[in-house]
Amino acid sequence: MEKIYTELKSLLLNLGLKESSHIIVHSSFNRINSVFPQLKPIQTIDNLKEIITSSGSIVFPTFTYCFKRSAGDYEIYCSINSKSKVGFLSETFRLSDSVVRTSSPTHSFGLWGRIKNDIDAANSPESPLGKGSVLEWLSTNSNSYILMLGTDFSSLTYGHYLEIEARVPWCNYSPWDYLNILPIGVSTNGEHRLKEIPGCAKSFCNFEKYLLENNLIKKYEYEGLNSYLISIKQLYDEGLKFFSEQYNKLLCPPSTCKACDSRRRKFL
């Protein structure tokens, strides 16, 4: 077991992870576990904390998507009891020592390390992935990175921040009417009005393809596990150009996604 723990730590260090970095993590524990079959989820979290130390920051999305709906039942967010819907490691992280969870009913984050000096549990901006959000904090702090372990850009939460910053035509448009979703989050603290509702992220993979083809990012492969460590500053600069000039590539192919079809009909 100690060998497995050390091997994962070596992988993270070879990726370029360093002490005092600020990272947001997207992961697939199923894929990590296929390479490190004896590894426990909390050991992955402990590895990250050991490398980053409390002088840096670790962020995991812990989204629950607790939107109010115009018809039918809907969940009410509780920062203590609502389970993360975006991955096994995300849930493990939020329950680990010294993690604070933000209060956004739809798009909460788990926070560990220095970021807690600036963002506390009350954080719940009307732009959950835009102005005032954890993503904005990462964008304005140097030495910030996106760590992806076994996932591709379809899980790139930061892509929604880029949509807002680049002012893509649909950034203030909700494509989820067919699910009866309203621009309101609901928690045990009441209702939270939302300025933006993030849409589909599947075609962020076209942005990933662009970056790879132009040698702007490097994919690290270990025993079939694909990973990235990407500077947020670089991603922001390249993303603004791509999202501003090629926003049509951020939509799924026609007739494959109701949310993207809705945006295409209204804006393209």
Side-chain angles (χ1 to χ4, degrees):
M1 186 68 73
E2 180 63 30
K3 181 182 177 183
I4 295 293
Y5 188 88
T6 302
E7 286 178 352
L8 176 63
K9 190 170 185 178
S10 294
L11 182 155
L12 295 170
L13 291 171
N14 287 336
L15 268 172
L17 208 59
K18 295 179 180 179
E19 181 179 344
S20 301
S21 298
H22 308 299
I23 60 169
I24 180 170
V25 185
H26 300 292
S27 60
S28 167
F29 188 69
N30 283 339
R31 290 175 183 164
I32 295 170
N33 204 223
S34 69
V35 177
F36 304 104
Q38 294 180 296
L39 189 73
K40 296 179 180 179
I42 192 60
Q43 290 178 307
T44 305
I45 303 304
D46 288 345
N47 255 312
L48 292 171
K49 290 180 177 179
E50 282 182 18
I51 294 171
I52 296 299
T53 77
S54 58
S55 62
S57 308
I58 301 174
V59 174
F60 271 78
T62 56
F63 302 164
T64 54
Y65 310 115
C66 291
F67 291 100
K68 188 173 184 177
R69 296 175 185 258
S70 58
D73 296 331
Y74 49 85
E75 295 180 54
I76 296 175
Y77 173 72
C78 171
S79 62
I80 298 173
N81 296 317
S82 294
K83 292 183 178 181
S84 169
K85 295 183 179 180
V86 286
F88 197 54
L89 281 184
S90 167
E91 178 66 3
T92 302
F93 176 75
R94 85 164 184 92
L95 295 173
S96 68
D97 291 342
S98 302
V99 170
V100 165
R101 191 185 199 180
T102 63
S103 295
S104 170
T106 58
H107 295 83
S108 63
F109 291 90
L111 313 175
W112 182 88
R114 191 167 73 78
I115 189 173
K116 295 192 297 179
N117 294 338
D118 298 324
I119 297 181
D120 60 22
N123 179 265
S124 182
E126 64 175 1
S127 179
L129 301 181
K131 186 173 178 57
S133 73
V134 169
L135 299 182
E136 183 180 57
W137 187 93
L138 289 166
S139 297
T140 55
N141 278 267
S142 60
N143 206 28
S144 293
Y145 298 86
I146 293 170
L147 174 63
M148 309 188 83
L149 298 170
T151 60
D152 59 24
F153 273 36
S154 63
S155 67
L156 184 69
T157 298
Y158 195 76
H160 295 300
Y161 181 77
L162 290 172
E163 286 184 306
I164 296 167
E165 288 291 289
R167 304 300 299 171
V168 297
W170 50 77
C171 67
N172 291 324
Y173 171 76
S174 171
W176 305 113
D177 284 354
Y178 74 97
L179 295 177
N180 301 317
I181 285 175
L182 297 173
I184 301 170
V186 186
S187 78
T188 52
N189 294 322
E191 295 187 354
H192 303 244
R193 292 278 173 181
L194 303 176
K195 184 178 179 181
E196 296 117 4
I197 299 181
C200 176
K202 293 177 184 176
S203 286
F204 289 167
C205 289
N206 288 330
F207 179 40
E208 177 183 10
K209 181 180 178 182
Y210 165 83
L211 293 172
L212 287 169
E213 288 178 346
N214 288 278
N215 297 312
L216 296 168
I217 60 171
K218 182 178 180 181
K219 184 184 293 185
Y220 183 86
E221 185 173 341
Y222 177 83
E223 301 291 334
L225 178 69
N226 293 326
S227 304
Y228 295 107
L229 184 68
I230 306 171
S231 161
I232 284 184
K233 182 182 186 308
Q234 179 193 19
L235 200 68
Y236 181 87
D237 291 342
E238 297 297 337
L240 276 189
K241 290 187 290 185
F242 186 88
F243 280 57
S244 297
E245 298 169 3
Q246 303 189 55
Y247 54 80
N248 59 307
K249 293 183 180 179
L250 302 174
L251 300 180
C252 294
S255 303
T256 63
C257 170
K258 289 183 178 180
C260 288
D261 283 346
S262 173
R263 295 190 291 187
R264 182 178 288 105
R265 284 193 299 269
K266 188 170 181 65
F267 297 103
L268 297 184

